[in-house]
Amino acid sequence: MEALNMNNDIYEMIHYLTMREYMKIDMLQKELHITHRQFIYRISKINQLLNERGKTELRVHDQVITVSKATNEDLKSILSEKIGLKEDYVLSRRERIICIFLMLFLNEPGMYLKIDVFSNQLQTSRTTTFSSISDLKKILVADGVQIVNNREQGYFLKGAEIDIRRVMSKFVISSLSIDHNKKKFDLVISGHGLLSYPEVLKVFQKTADRYKLNFVKSRLDELIYFLIFLRSRFCHHPLLNDYPQSLQMMTTFKEYDFSVDIIKQLNVQCSNLRTESYYLTSWILGISFGDIHADTKDKELITDWVKQLLLRFNSLSGNHYQASPKVFERLYAHIRPAYYRLLFDLPILNPLTNRAKKEYSALFSLVKETVRPYEAMFGRPIPDEEVAYLTLHFASIYFQELGIDSSEKTIKQTRKYGLIACSNGVGSSVILYNELVDMFPNIYFYHPISTHEIKDFSKPVDILFVTDSYDMPKEIDIPVVVVHPVISLDERYQLIHEVDMRMGRHSYQFENLMRIINEDTEIKCLGKLKRDLSAFLTTRSEISETPSFKKKNIKLLDIFQSSLIQLQVSATDWQDSIRIAFAPLLKKKMVTSEYVQSTVQDLKKTGPYIVITTHVALAHSRATNGALKNALGLAVLTSPVKFGSKHNDPVKYVFSLSVREDTNHITAMAELTNLLNDKGFFQCLDNSTSPQTVIDYVKKQLESQLKEGN
């Protein structure tokens, strides 16, 4: 039989097949965006691969693919095989682009690469190579990196070293996390005579064991390839030594000692060992989980950052949540690695970014505003990927407040326990957790954990949901279902069907139906009959399109009324300004006098945290202190007063907020924070003589934002 040429499409399908025991063909086609004809072709090629190795082929029957445990291991083995270019593998367009970048990345200073060098190594035509270089140029623009072409000498990369390294990191992360294919990396490594993956892995694991460091498998792969490609640039393309003195505390971390050790063991000659060690340490910390119980020199710094984030979020949202120790621990676990990623502008891949923006748009806006003051610290905007993860963490606080966790009564009534483990940490599993709770009311779900925590989880578990099967401990002996962090409606149907089959649900119906059918008919295919009956019993009508925890959101104009706005009023001090701002609400019996007094007392105890931006205060207290109705007032002062805020005094605009429930006014607060970034809004407040003019301006701006969003 003729040897099979491989490509990324086939590898993508193989990876997908390793994620489930069985799946419907139409769902697989939809997931991979392929036609039925393409599906048939790829399955035949995969079966050819299995056949060539003397392995059992995939079973395709009644529109369902079944993957046994043995076949699953065979497919994973194929993914890990070492191959050569052209004889065994055909590069895709995206892979050619990445290979060209890596070839330029590995080039020494002052050296150029001619078009024939690319064509020969990639074994592509000059026309195809020119096209790939052109595509790469467009991709690099967003990162401030250029491909410069000297007609006589060839091509080279131009840009800040930290930007060039970030691009390399993004290609590595996306290839391993999205494509699940490292073949192109192995081809470049072989073509340039670099240290191989097994060689670096051996050194890395041995050293990691000595320093007692553990890495999630997917993150470990990223770090190994990152090191392989970065090794040459340590020598020839050093980073500028312009990082803050506070980084010196990193020298006390075991991750720093590990980084220095690794650099030396890989025989890297660094012109600035300390700076490069800082960089590598930040990479390691950026893919690790922050342990609040570890006694590290940065613990006070990170703890204070988490506290300030919570305080600012509460001040912007009008909430008074007290994060439980568990929630604080989870925030710390995310904030510590995020701090080091931001410090060195290291990329992060967050598959939930668009979903977080769409599903939690108001919360996302508030979190984005919450972290805005920290942009000055890092000298750049906080990436949306980081904001999205924080959004999900704050969302988890809301879910606890809403009481969506299964009650003790539910625990006693059910015999099934479910656990969710996410390779990207608990933050990215927030949406998944709520969707699964909504889909499977008869399963009690524990709080999500990280994949690396599975082996230490001691409570009873009947079914495990994971977002990636590659980091799974091999000794798991319960049903494991691989799910996407974002589940579409069709996937919900497939998932319910799969869970029912794996857990033996509908067994009572099966037994009775089988007994009835057996009395009058002859069963030709028992497996097909069971699948058909399960599909019939699990109908789409059981599936809701959105989780049931969502509530109707209050919008800004629902609570911000002209009768609550006071223009050009005088106040003697900050306490007087708060009382003036609440006066219309008090008159309309929207708050009690105790609520106003509590707001003043809160500030005396905690400081001017309600001064949320330059010249603006958002005064509020706990709902239990006397919030009678949802309302937002505003007092525009003729003469600003000082609240004691170092960066935002004096205050001219004092908003007064009353909310009866801490969770349903987030949209209103998000709309308000957007207005506070609009200079025209403040011009309107300063120049208007009628409160209705202010309301008209707000209405116009909100309508404009709505149109832009659509």
Side-chain angles (χ1 to χ4, degrees):
M1 183 180 294
E2 183 182 351
L4 172 64
N5 279 346
M6 297 291 291
N7 60 35
N8 191 60
D9 293 335
I10 294 176
Y11 270 86
E12 182 182 29
M13 179 174 280
I14 292 176
H15 174 79
Y16 189 83
L17 291 171
T18 62
M19 296 174 65
R20 287 180 171 83
E21 184 176 333
Y22 66 88
M23 64 205 74
K24 293 174 67 66
I25 292 175
D26 59 346
M27 282 300 302
L28 186 148
Q29 291 174 183
K30 188 171 184 178
E31 177 69 21
L32 299 181
H33 306 288
I34 60 176
T35 64
H36 186 68
R37 184 175 181 179
Q38 290 172 320
F39 163 78
I40 294 297
Y41 172 79
R42 295 181 192 181
I43 283 294
S44 67
K45 294 300 182 183
I46 293 171
N47 278 334
Q48 182 180 335
L49 282 170
L50 291 168
N51 191 277
E52 288 174 354
R53 291 157 177 77
K55 305 299 183 181
T56 304
E57 296 183 0
L58 291 165
R59 290 172 52 200
V60 182
H61 185 67
D62 295 328
Q63 299 301 306
V64 173
I65 305 174
T66 303
V67 183
S68 66
K69 288 186 177 180
T71 302
N72 187 289
E73 291 301 318
D74 294 336
L75 292 174
K76 288 182 178 179
S77 177
I78 291 174
L79 290 176
S80 64
E81 289 177 4
K82 187 174 182 180
I83 59 174
L85 184 59
K86 206 64 177 178
E87 296 86 2
D88 306 304
Y89 192 82
V90 179
L91 293 171
S92 68
R93 170 182 167 275
R94 170 177 158 78
E95 289 174 310
R96 288 195 301 271
I97 290 172
I98 294 175
C99 286
I100 289 172
F101 174 82
L102 289 175
M103 292 171 69
L104 291 167
F105 182 84
L106 295 168
N107 210 24
E108 295 183 9
M111 300 294 291
Y112 297 80
L113 292 180
K114 293 187 176 182
I115 194 72
D116 291 338
V117 175
F118 297 115
S119 295
N120 290 336
Q121 183 159 340
L122 301 180
Q123 298 190 20
T124 55
S125 67
R126 289 170 62 90
T127 301
T128 299
T129 305
F130 274 124
S131 177
S132 297
I133 292 175
S134 177
D135 291 338
L136 177 58
K137 285 181 178 180
K138 297 174 184 177
I139 293 172
L140 297 180
V141 170
D143 289 284
V145 178
Q146 295 177 290
I147 296 180
V148 179
N149 178 25
N150 182 300
R151 288 190 176 183
E152 295 182 358
Q153 295 177 296
Y155 297 86
F156 67 94
L157 288 176
K158 182 180 180 181
E161 179 62 16
I162 196 167
D163 293 334
I164 293 174
R165 292 187 184 188
R166 183 178 63 250
V167 175
M168 183 273 288
S169 303
K170 287 166 67 174
F171 278 141
V172 168
I173 293 172
S174 63
S175 294
L176 296 177
S177 300
I178 299 176
D179 301 338
H180 302 285
N181 186 352
K182 55 187 180 181
K183 300 302 179 185
K184 53 187 163 294
F185 297 150
D186 294 334
L187 295 172
V188 173
I189 289 169
S190 176
H192 284 73
L194 305 178
L195 290 177
S196 68
Y197 178 92
E199 288 175 316
V200 177
L201 178 63
K202 183 178 179 180
V203 173
F204 195 92
Q205 288 183 323
K206 184 178 179 180
T207 310
D209 290 342
R210 188 161 66 250
Y211 288 94
K212 297 181 179 180
L213 293 173
N214 297 309
F215 298 94
V216 176
K217 177 63 169 59
S218 56
R219 301 285 87 85
L220 177 62
D221 285 346
E222 293 173 5
L223 191 52
I224 295 298
Y225 281 107
F226 172 80
L227 274 172
I228 292 172
F229 296 131
L230 192 60
R231 183 169 173 264
S232 64
R233 292 192 76 89
F234 277 151
C235 305
H236 307 300
H237 301 272
L239 287 173
L240 296 177
N241 189 17
D242 58 353
Y243 292 99
Q245 291 294 317
S246 60
L247 282 184
Q248 291 183 1
M249 66 183 174
M250 291 173 66
T251 59
T252 65
F253 300 165
K254 62 180 180 180
E255 290 87 355
Y256 178 85
D257 294 334
F258 169 81
S259 298
V260 174
D261 202 342
I262 281 291
I263 290 174
K264 290 180 178 179
Q265 288 192 63
L266 294 179
N267 298 317
V268 179
Q269 301 299 319
C270 292
S271 59
N272 191 332
L273 178 60
R274 172 157 291 193
T275 299
E276 297 295 2
S277 297
Y278 285 155
Y279 183 71
L280 182 55
T281 302
S282 289
W283 229 96
I284 293 171
L285 292 172
I287 63 173
S288 306
F289 292 95
D291 183 3
I292 197 171
H293 303 293
D295 187 19
T296 56
K297 290 288 186 180
D298 62 348
K299 182 176 180 179
E300 183 178 351
L301 169 69
I302 305 301
T303 299
D304 184 63
W305 200 21
V306 175
K307 289 179 179 178
Q308 292 301 318
L309 278 174
L310 286 168
L311 188 62
R312 178 164 169 78
F313 178 77
N314 278 342
S315 67
L316 285 171
S317 64
N319 293 319
H320 289 265
Y321 293 130
Q322 295 293 325
S324 66
K326 192 66 176 178
V327 169
F328 194 93
E329 183 177 330
R330 289 176 177 174
L331 277 172
Y332 185 98
H334 175 77
I335 291 298
R336 187 174 190 247
Y339 173 80
Y340 291 102
R341 287 195 298 267
L342 293 168
L343 201 61
F344 279 88
D345 199 15
L346 302 176
I348 182 175
L349 179 68
N350 185 351
L352 299 180
T353 299
N354 290 333
R355 181 69 178 269
K357 287 181 176 181
K358 182 179 179 181
E359 294 283 328
Y360 307 101
S361 58
L363 190 58
F364 182 88
S365 295
L366 280 177
V367 174
K368 194 173 183 68
E369 187 63 31
T370 298
V371 300
R372 193 180 299 278
Y374 298 94
E375 294 179 351
M377 179 191 303
F378 301 109
R380 65 187 72 89
I382 307 297
D384 282 354
E385 289 79 6
E386 297 283 6
V387 176
Y389 271 131
L390 281 174
T391 298
L392 298 178
H393 280 292
F394 280 110
S396 69
I397 300 175
Y398 287 145
F399 299 154
Q400 288 184 0
E401 293 290 329
L402 283 166
I404 65 159
D405 292 339
S406 302
S407 64
E408 290 297 322
K409 182 178 180 181
T410 304
I411 297 174
K412 293 177 181 178
Q413 290 177 345
T414 183
R415 295 180 180 178
K416 302 298 182 182
Y417 295 83
L419 180 64
I420 303 166
C422 184
S423 60
N424 289 324
V426 295
S428 60
S429 58
V430 170
I431 294 177
L432 178 60
Y433 172 81
N434 286 282
E435 294 204 44
L436 292 179
V437 166
D438 188 68
M439 291 167 63
F440 303 106
N442 293 324
I443 299 177
Y444 169 73
F445 284 94
Y446 299 107
H447 279 294
I449 63 173
S450 300
T451 307
H452 74 283
E453 297 176 299
I454 294 176
K455 61 181 183 298
D456 298 322
F457 195 84
S458 58
K459 295 179 181 179
V461 178
D462 296 294
I463 186 166
L464 177 63
F465 295 85
V466 298
T467 55
D468 195 327
S469 62
Y470 276 77
D471 293 326
M472 284 291 301
K474 293 184 178 180
E475 59 272 13
I476 295 293
D477 58 357
I478 59 174
V480 177
V481 178
V482 181
V483 292
H484 288 106
V486 180
I487 306 175
S488 67
L489 183 59
D490 286 329
E491 288 170 334
R492 287 164 73 85
Y493 171 70
Q494 162 96 359
L495 185 58
I496 288 178
H497 182 80
E498 181 176 355
V499 170
D500 284 346
M501 295 294 289
R502 299 293 296 276
M503 297 190 70
R505 290 176 62 184
H506 302 313
S507 58
Y508 176 78
Q509 290 94 325
F510 275 137
E511 290 174 5
N512 282 277
L513 286 171
M514 293 299 295
R515 178 178 55 79
I516 295 171
I517 293 171
N518 265 324
E519 291 177 356
D520 302 302
T521 62
E522 179 182 347
I523 301 174
K524 294 182 178 180
C525 181
L526 179 62
K528 181 178 184 302
L529 179 60
K530 285 186 175 182
R531 286 193 295 272
D532 289 344
L533 288 175
S534 179
F536 173 76
L537 292 169
T538 308
T539 63
R540 284 179 178 265
S541 62
E542 298 177 27
I543 307 171
S544 59
E545 190 163 354
T546 55
S548 60
F549 64 82
K550 293 187 177 180
K551 290 186 176 182
K552 180 181 178 181
N553 288 321
I554 294 175
K555 297 184 178 181
L556 182 58
L557 289 177
D558 293 333
I559 60 175
F560 194 41
Q561 306 167 11
S562 60
S563 60
L564 305 179
I565 299 174
Q566 303 171 83
L567 302 173
Q568 306 304 317
V569 294
S570 299
T572 57
D573 55 25
W574 68 266
Q575 296 183 50
D576 189 37
S577 71
I578 289 177
R579 294 189 178 96
I580 290 172
F582 273 111
L585 282 70
L586 189 61
K587 183 178 180 180
K588 288 178 171 288
K589 297 183 179 180
M590 294 176 163
V591 296
T592 64
S593 58
E594 289 77 14
Y595 183 86
V596 180
Q597 187 58 30
S598 294
T599 304
V600 173
Q601 292 301 319
D602 288 344
L603 261 70
K604 289 182 178 180
K605 293 178 182 178
T606 60
Y609 73 97
I610 67 168
V611 184
I612 56 177
T613 189
T614 306
H615 309 318
V616 178
L618 177 61
H620 53 84
S621 186
R622 294 181 180 278
T624 54
N625 289 333
L628 303 178
K629 294 182 180 180
N630 296 318
L632 179 68
L634 168 63
V636 179
L637 306 180
T638 54
S639 299
V641 296
K642 291 184 178 181
F643 273 66
S645 174
K646 181 179 179 180
H647 301 291
N648 295 321
D649 266 349
V651 172
K652 183 178 182 180
Y653 313 95
V654 184
F655 289 89
S656 50
L657 177 67
S658 167
V659 285
R660 292 187 59 186
E661 298 180 52
D662 282 346
T663 53
N664 65 356
H665 64 289
I666 293 300
T667 297
M669 293 298 97
E671 291 174 339
L672 176 61
T673 55
N674 286 335
L675 277 174
L676 298 182
N677 288 309
D678 173 20
K679 293 181 180 179
F681 176 59
F682 293 104
Q683 292 174 354
C684 176
L685 295 180
D686 292 338
N687 299 325
S688 296
T689 57
S690 166
Q692 187 57 46
T693 304
V694 176
I695 295 297
D696 291 341
Y697 181 89
V698 172
K699 184 178 181 180
K700 181 180 178 181
Q701 291 301 106
L702 292 178
E703 289 176 349
S704 176
Q705 292 173 14
L706 183 62
K707 289 179 180 178
E708 290 178 3
N710 294 333

